[in-house]
């Protein structure tokens, strides 16, 4: 499947923190660069996510903000 | 300012594509790893964004989806 | 690609309204039931969207609100 | 109330899955076509949602992505 | 219509900045406190928005971030 | 840090409702005008939020909808 979201960052699952409804999935997209996603428990199970698995962190460009110090 | 959004990815502005209302800002967050943000023209001007400037790509963890091949 | 977004509604492109930066894509997901997406012009071109093409309208469950009369 | 969100899909509550903070509300918008919303428990109570109730699934067009196989 | 979005801030349209696809609507929700919304041109027309009109700024609680100095 | 989100509404934390994964933070931005944010528990802890603390409610203008009666 190809999707209109502009950002599909390839990476590896580093950690999954289990919650009651949602889980936190930490994805390493480059050495020392991590992205945290909060997705539903059922999505984690459906995609059989586990540490070390290759995934994409997908973000719409309109959901990315820019900040400066 | 510190913000509740979980992801603040440090990077450098690589390209700014000017639009009528919104501009596309491409940010390099690691060698060969880019994130595209669409923000309003006035935000680009207020923060005086230009190529080479150090910025953060800020994304709420609930706005990050996970995908697998 | 499989994605964590819970809603992937199969449908057909009914109309594409071209804008300067974004295009409006109207998708018929059932007889008389339409969903409108606003995506970037480049996404429309990359996926070669045109009227009649089979697509999915993808929405995160946390982006769906519920209303009553 | 009339709202600027472009998509207001009329349907019927098919299932409500109770969570600790959020509930999952499955809405049938056409025969065999379901949309899942995650909204707060208090919203479910305030609107007295229950199976069979007529509701709208409301989604901003900028929150709808398009995907192809 | 009653909606699951938690924040419905009553206010008055102070300014509408017309764009090509989207318009910027500035809403005064308390003396000196303004909220800016970007909505589609067609929504502005459908709701016949104009300066001085009474409106609500509607925001899902999951779309509100918190920041500190 | 300066951020591209257009709305940064200064206010005071009025109430924090603790959840399992997320907390609800009610912010008073003007006399009698409240905004509710749902953010992760870890964000509340990292920013040491408590009742009476001065904060900003930050919202992207594209996440603000407009409604009329």
């Amino acid at each position: 499947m190809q999707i209109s979201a502009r950002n599909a960052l390839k990476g590896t699952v580093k950690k999954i923190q289990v919650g009651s409804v949602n889980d936190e999935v930490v994805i390493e997209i480059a050495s020392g660069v991590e992205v945290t996603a909060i997705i539903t428990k059922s999505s984690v199970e459906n995609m059989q996510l586990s540490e070390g698995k290759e995934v994409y962190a997908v973000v719409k460009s309109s959901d990315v903000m820019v900040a400066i110090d």
Side-chain angles (χ1 to χ4, degrees), chain A residues 11-14 25-29 33-37 55-57:
Chain A
T12 313
V13 175
K14 200 158 169 203
V25 181
V26 178
I27 302 164
E28 186 165 56
I29 54 171
V33 181
E34 296 175 354
V35 173
T36 302
V55 297
Y56 297 88

Side-chain angles (χ1 to χ4, degrees), chain A residues 6-57:
Chain A
R6 285 294 287 282
N7 300 294
L9 307 168
K10 196 164 193 175
T12 313
V13 175
K14 200 158 169 203
K15 198 178 77 172
I16 299 177
Q17 186 157 347
V18 175
S20 60
V21 176
N22 295 321
D23 293 352
E24 275 187 17
V25 181
V26 178
I27 302 164
E28 186 165 56
I29 54 171
S31 161
V33 181
E34 296 175 354
V35 173
T36 302
I38 292 188
I39 60 175
T40 58
K41 198 176 265 312
S42 51
S43 293
V44 170
E45 284 151 12
N46 293 344
M47 293 194 285
Q48 299 176 327
L49 298 186
S50 57
E51 286 182 25
K53 184 160 188 163
E54 239 184 45
V55 297
Y56 297 88

Side-chain angles (χ1 to χ4, degrees), chain A residues 1-10 56-64:
Chain A
M1 188 170 68
Q2 193 185 338
I3 194 162
S4 59
R6 285 294 287 282
N7 300 294
L9 307 168
K10 196 164 193 175
Y56 297 88
V58 177
V59 187
K60 290 185 299 166
S61 49
S62 56
D63 282 339
V64 180

